[in-house]
Amino acid sequence: KEVLKNRIRDLCLKEGWTCNKKTQNNLVEFCWIRIEEDEKNLFKCTQSFLFQSFARFKAIYPCEDWNTIKHAADRKGELRSGLEPTADAEDAQFPLNRESETDDTATTMANNKKRKHPSLACDECLCKGGVHISTYGANNPNEDRHAFRVGVQLSKNSVGHFFAVIDGHGGDTCAEYARQELIQRVINKLHAHSTAIDTFCETLTSSDSDVKHEELDDLEQNHLEQNIILTHLKEAFHDLDDEWFDKIGPNNGVMNDKQNCPEKNGQWSVGCCVFLAMILQTEIHLNQYNKSSGGNSRFLFTAHCGDVRACLLDRSKPAIRLTEDHTASNKKEASYVRNLSCDRCPIRKGKDGTDTLKVAGCLVPTRAIGDAFLKRSQFSFDPFKRKCPYITCHPDVSMKTIDSENHTYLIIATDGIWENVSEDAVNEWVNMNSKKQVGSSNSPTLSQAGRIIAETLNVVCKLQGMKPNFVHAVPKGRQRRNIHDDMTVVVVDLQREIC
């Protein structure tokens, strides 16, 4: 380690980098983690290796020396593509360069080496009655939210279980509002039509038990407009959006000053993507929880807007994806935005220097709750004001029969998971975790949701060339957000009674 420290010091002097002692110590820790990860690096601890390590370190901890190091690394051809920080990251201050602050990152790294698995750092982990929930934040505060209500009596012969995963953007206020209001709003609407729900359930459960689930699903999909439950799900999304606009309106004192750009902290540019699932248990299922019961007794209703994704795991086939991402890169959604907006080019690249297509160059989702500045002119500003609306909150809805014999888990997760892994990978992890025996106290067994986050973090660390311990040591906020997004996972075990 002393040899490594001396080489880093000599290289800093040779290249003319101004690097204080605290920063040097953390550079040493970062390089040492890379050496521990692959001992071959110990024999390759050359100038080239150090250039590469410095470039990765600066991508996470930007400081005033970044331009110098970037230039030097480019000369050596060692800067990995994709690791260069965004313009926002360049403006961030590296805390360890401030002499007034304590140097606790190296200590945190050392303490985190005791962790056996990255998911032990989850901000929240819940496992209760067949429901597994885990979150792992990157932003400060975390912009993801989740909510669930189980065992809600909707009518005389039916009970509903509700699960919502919410991915906020531009702040967490809209996501928090959706967490508090959405499920209760749906329940109120369904309670008002309990008799119609019983009639609807009788129609579904009276189907011949010999009919295949796939055929019944096709039959149900052809009658979505007549489905009273899905109609109420749609109405709940629109009502929530309208009431959010009332909440942030100029007459109620929420907005203290006029917002004039999406980047400015304000409620007009806050929004969230939402996925809501309802599992409806009918009288057949309530009388006796029996996997081999003859009738179709459980049904899955979903509504979503944005890029929160869900899938259904099946014993007999690959994971069944339940959603389609509502993003600007989706050709169908892009066409929808072009027809809705008065903007000549509503889908374009943003100003962040990436190739990611965005609505009006500033928002990836094409459907969301909130984002008032892209929906209503009274909440908007130039250059968007005269071209609204760009986006909508209208959700896609679906209904599916739950096959008690083959359907094992319902997985709902934010894009912090899905932008790094596939549904098939999640399916494999969940199946492996189901078979895993309870470990010792030194290696605690993870919940299904915790396992998904843990494995996703491993994938992220592999892509970034880091160890999980180093990621845990990165402070939440802009620095960690440069590595990964907020992660929230809800897993519902369909083989157990939900309670």
Side-chain angles (χ1 to χ4, degrees), residues 392-418:
T392 179
C393 70
H394 187 71
D396 278 348
V397 294
S398 70
M399 174 184 170
K400 192 169 188 65
T401 306
I402 295 178
D403 183 349
S404 296
E405 294 183 0
N406 293 314
H407 293 163
T408 55
Y409 293 96
L410 170 65
I411 312 290
I412 315 168
T414 56
D415 63 342
I417 298 293
W418 302 118

Side-chain angles (χ1 to χ4, degrees), residues 184-193 232-233 235-236 239:
Q184 187 59 51
R185 193 175 303 280
V186 174
I187 292 173
N188 293 342
K189 287 181 175 293
L190 296 178
H191 277 161
H193 298 85
H232 288 320
L233 292 180
E235 291 175 352
D239 290 350

Side-chain angles (χ1 to χ4, degrees), residues 181-333:
E181 299 289 335
L182 180 59
I183 290 180
Q184 187 59 51
R185 193 175 303 280
V186 174
I187 292 173
N188 293 342
K189 287 181 175 293
L190 296 178
H191 277 161
H193 298 85
S194 57
T195 304
I197 292 174
D198 273 340
T199 304
F200 181 71
C201 291
E202 289 175 7
T203 304
L204 292 176
T205 56
S206 64
S207 300
D208 187 351
S209 60
D210 293 332
V211 176
K212 294 181 179 179
H213 287 273
E214 291 81 359
E215 295 176 0
L216 185 58
D217 287 338
D218 292 339
L219 179 65
E220 292 157 358
Q221 294 298 328
N222 291 333
H223 296 83
L224 289 184
E225 294 302 324
Q226 288 74 37
N227 191 321
I228 188 172
I229 295 177
L230 295 180
T231 298
H232 288 320
L233 292 180
K234 292 178 184 177
E235 291 175 352
F237 273 64
H238 284 280
D239 290 350
L240 183 70
D241 201 42
D242 290 339
E243 292 195 12
W244 170 252
F245 292 153
D246 293 338
K247 178 180 173 64
I248 66 171
N251 297 326
N252 64 9
V254 172
M255 294 299 298
N256 296 322
D257 57 345
K258 185 177 179 181
Q259 188 177 350
N260 54 25
C261 70
E263 291 77 18
K264 183 176 181 180
N265 293 330
Q267 304 295 342
W268 294 0
S269 57
V270 178
C272 63
C273 303
V274 181
F275 178 92
L276 175 65
M278 183 188 80
I279 296 176
L280 182 69
Q281 292 183 181
T282 62
E283 185 178 14
I284 295 176
H285 195 85
L286 295 173
N287 288 338
Q288 182 179 8
Y289 183 72
N290 187 347
K291 297 178 185 178
S292 59
S293 60
N296 300 303
S297 58
R298 288 191 300 172
F299 303 91
L300 175 63
F301 298 84
T302 69
H304 86 286
C305 63
D307 54 7
V308 178
R309 196 181 301 178
C311 64
L312 197 60
L313 304 191
D314 193 310
R315 283 195 180 103
S316 60
K317 61 181 71 172
I320 304 168
R321 186 166 170 179
L322 301 175
T323 60
E324 182 180 10
D325 291 345
H326 299 149
T327 59
S329 58
N330 183 329
K331 293 183 179 180
K332 180 180 175 182
E333 289 296 306

Side-chain angles (χ1 to χ4, degrees), residues 116-163:
K116 297 294 182 181
H117 206 286
S119 70
L120 299 183
C122 285
D123 302 329
E124 179 181 354
C125 192
L126 171 68
C127 185
K128 178 182 178 182
V131 181
H132 308 246
I133 301 174
S134 287
T135 65
Y136 188 73
N139 291 296
N140 189 17
N142 190 337
E143 295 178 350
D144 282 359
R145 294 292 187 276
H146 63 269
F148 72 99
R149 292 273 298 276
V150 298
V152 180
Q153 192 77 39
L154 297 177
S155 65
K156 181 180 178 181
N157 299 320
S158 65
V159 165
H161 309 294
F162 299 84
F163 308 92

Side-chain angles (χ1 to χ4, degrees), residues 359-379:
V359 178
C362 57
L363 186 67
V364 173
T366 55
R367 305 192 206 185
I369 303 293
D371 295 304
F373 79 106
L374 292 178
K375 290 179 180 175
R376 298 189 181 183
S377 57
Q378 61 266 39
F379 294 102

Side-chain angles (χ1 to χ4, degrees), residues 53-69:
S53 299
F54 286 11
R56 297 185 186 188
F57 183 81
K58 292 299 179 181
I60 304 165
Y61 291 112
C63 68
E64 62 273 10
D65 296 331
W66 167 252
N67 289 330
T68 307
I69 293 180

